[in-house]
Protein backbone atom coordinates (compact mmCIF):
# COMPACT_ATOMS: atom_id res chain seq x y z
CA UNK A 1 0.00 0.00 0.00
CA UNK A 2 2.79 2.41 0.92
CA UNK A 3 4.54 1.70 -2.39
CA UNK A 4 1.32 2.46 -4.28
CA UNK A 5 1.01 5.81 -2.46
CA UNK A 6 4.60 6.70 -3.33
CA UNK A 7 4.04 5.84 -7.00
CA UNK A 8 0.78 7.83 -7.08
CA UNK A 9 2.46 10.81 -5.41
CA UNK A 10 5.36 10.73 -7.84
CA UNK A 11 2.98 10.55 -10.80
CA UNK A 12 0.98 13.50 -9.47
CA UNK A 13 4.14 15.54 -9.01
CA UNK A 14 5.27 14.72 -12.56
CA UNK A 15 1.92 15.81 -13.96
CA UNK A 16 2.05 19.04 -11.97
CA UNK A 17 5.54 19.87 -13.24
CA UNK A 18 4.57 18.99 -16.80
CA UNK A 19 1.46 21.18 -16.58
CA UNK A 20 3.58 24.11 -15.37
CA UNK A 21 5.79 23.79 -18.45
CA UNK A 22 2.82 23.84 -20.80
CA UNK A 23 1.95 27.52 -20.66
CA UNK A 24 1.32 29.67 -23.71
CA UNK A 25 4.57 31.25 -24.97
CA UNK A 26 2.71 34.04 -26.81
CA UNK A 27 0.93 35.05 -23.60
CA UNK A 28 4.22 34.63 -21.75
CA UNK A 29 5.88 37.13 -24.08
CA UNK A 30 3.32 39.71 -22.93
CA UNK A 31 3.91 38.85 -19.26
CA UNK A 32 7.68 39.07 -19.83
CA UNK A 33 7.29 42.79 -20.54
CA UNK A 34 7.15 43.16 -16.73
CA UNK A 35 10.61 41.54 -16.60
CA UNK A 36 12.17 43.29 -19.60
CA UNK A 37 13.24 46.38 -17.67
CA UNK A 38 15.84 44.22 -15.91
CA UNK A 39 16.23 41.08 -18.08
CA UNK A 40 16.69 40.32 -21.77
CA UNK A 41 16.21 37.22 -23.93
CA UNK A 42 16.80 36.43 -27.57
CA UNK A 43 19.73 36.79 -29.93
CA UNK A 44 22.08 39.53 -28.78
CA UNK A 45 20.58 39.65 -25.27
CA UNK A 46 22.83 41.38 -22.76
CA UNK A 47 22.84 41.56 -18.99
CA UNK A 48 20.98 44.50 -17.54
CA UNK A 49 20.22 45.03 -13.86
CA UNK A 50 19.53 41.28 -13.92
CA UNK A 51 21.22 38.60 -16.02
CA UNK A 52 20.11 37.71 -19.54
CA UNK A 53 17.76 34.74 -19.42
CA UNK A 54 18.60 32.74 -22.54
CA UNK A 55 18.61 29.04 -21.71
CA UNK A 56 17.39 29.69 -18.15
CA UNK A 57 15.24 26.56 -17.94
CA UNK A 58 17.48 23.82 -16.47
CA UNK A 59 20.48 26.18 -16.25
CA UNK A 60 22.50 26.06 -13.01
CA UNK A 61 22.08 28.97 -10.59
CA UNK A 62 24.69 31.69 -11.12
CA UNK A 63 25.85 30.39 -14.51
CA UNK A 64 26.26 33.63 -16.47
CA UNK A 65 29.99 34.30 -16.10
CA UNK A 66 29.96 38.06 -16.70
CA UNK A 67 27.09 38.81 -14.29
CA UNK A 68 27.67 39.64 -10.62
CA UNK A 69 25.12 37.57 -8.70
CA UNK A 70 24.25 38.22 -5.08
CA UNK A 71 26.13 36.20 -2.49
CA UNK A 72 22.75 34.94 -1.26
CA UNK A 73 21.78 33.52 -4.68
CA UNK A 74 25.12 31.76 -5.01
CA UNK A 75 24.79 30.24 -1.52
CA UNK A 76 21.15 29.16 -1.90
CA UNK A 77 21.70 27.94 -5.44
CA UNK A 78 24.86 25.93 -4.90
CA UNK A 79 24.35 22.79 -7.02
CA UNK A 80 20.78 23.71 -8.03
CA UNK A 81 19.28 24.39 -11.44
CA UNK A 82 16.45 26.63 -12.59
CA UNK A 83 14.01 23.85 -13.40
CA UNK A 84 10.31 24.54 -13.99
CA UNK A 85 9.38 23.94 -10.33
CA UNK A 86 12.11 26.24 -9.00
CA UNK A 87 11.29 28.97 -11.51
CA UNK A 88 7.63 28.77 -10.49
CA UNK A 89 8.53 29.17 -6.79
CA UNK A 90 10.90 32.03 -7.57
CA UNK A 91 8.50 33.86 -9.86
CA UNK A 92 5.73 33.57 -7.26
CA UNK A 93 7.75 35.53 -4.69
CA UNK A 94 11.52 35.79 -5.29
CA UNK A 95 12.36 36.65 -1.68
CA UNK A 96 10.84 33.36 -0.48
CA UNK A 97 13.51 31.41 -2.39
CA UNK A 98 16.40 33.86 -2.07
CA UNK A 99 15.66 36.13 0.92
CA UNK A 100 18.68 38.41 0.46
CA UNK A 101 18.77 38.33 -3.34
CA UNK A 102 19.05 41.43 -5.53
CA UNK A 103 15.73 40.97 -7.32
CA UNK A 104 13.32 43.69 -6.17
CA UNK A 105 10.36 42.35 -8.19
CA UNK A 106 7.48 41.26 -5.91
CA UNK A 107 6.48 38.30 -8.08
CA UNK A 108 3.68 37.06 -10.32
CA UNK A 109 0.59 36.18 -8.29
CA UNK A 110 -1.32 34.42 -11.10
CA UNK A 111 -0.32 30.82 -11.76
CA UNK A 112 -1.21 31.21 -15.45
CA UNK A 113 1.17 34.17 -15.77
CA UNK A 114 4.01 32.12 -14.28
CA UNK A 115 3.25 29.13 -16.52
CA UNK A 116 3.13 31.35 -19.58
CA UNK A 117 6.34 33.24 -18.87
CA UNK A 118 8.17 29.98 -18.13
CA UNK A 119 6.90 28.57 -21.45
CA UNK A 120 8.11 31.75 -23.17
CA UNK A 121 11.57 31.51 -21.58
CA UNK A 122 11.81 27.78 -22.33
CA UNK A 123 11.82 28.59 -26.05
CA UNK A 124 15.26 30.17 -25.88
CA UNK A 125 18.54 28.29 -26.26
CA UNK A 126 21.66 29.57 -24.49
CA UNK A 127 22.66 31.54 -27.61
CA UNK A 128 19.27 33.26 -27.83
CA UNK A 129 17.99 31.31 -30.80
CA UNK A 130 14.60 29.68 -30.41
CA UNK A 131 14.02 25.95 -30.23
Amino acid sequence: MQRLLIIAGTALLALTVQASAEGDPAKGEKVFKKCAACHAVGEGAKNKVGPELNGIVDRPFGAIEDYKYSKSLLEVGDGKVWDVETLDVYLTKPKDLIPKGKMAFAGLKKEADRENVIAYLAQFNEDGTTK
Side-chain angles (χ1 to χ4, degrees), residues 6-110:
I6 291 171
I7 292 169
T10 303
L12 181 61
L13 179 61
L15 289 173
T16 302
V17 171
Q18 184 178 8
S20 295
E22 292 181 0
D24 182 333
K27 289 180 182 177
E29 184 175 11
K30 291 177 185 174
V31 176
F32 186 77
K33 289 179 182 179
K34 296 177 183 182
C35 313
C38 298
H39 296 281
V41 291
E43 294 184 56
K46 304 261 188 245
N47 294 328
K48 295 182 176 183
V49 173
E52 56 90 355
L53 298 177
N54 290 328
I56 187 70
V57 179
D58 294 325
R59 180 170 79 196
F61 277 50
I64 301 297
E65 291 183 22
D66 59 345
Y67 183 76
K68 186 169 174 51
Y69 293 95
S70 69
K71 184 177 179 182
S72 182
L73 180 136
L74 295 173
E75 289 172 357
V76 168
D78 189 31
K80 294 183 182 170
V81 297
W82 290 109
D83 58 21
V84 171
E85 267 185 328
T86 305
L87 282 166
D88 185 55
V89 169
Y90 190 67
L91 292 173
T92 300
K93 190 173 179 186
K95 295 292 183 190
D96 282 354
L97 185 65
I98 305 171
K100 295 179 183 177
K102 293 197 290 188
M103 188 139 130
F105 186 68
L108 298 170
K109 304 258 184 262
K110 295 179 184 174

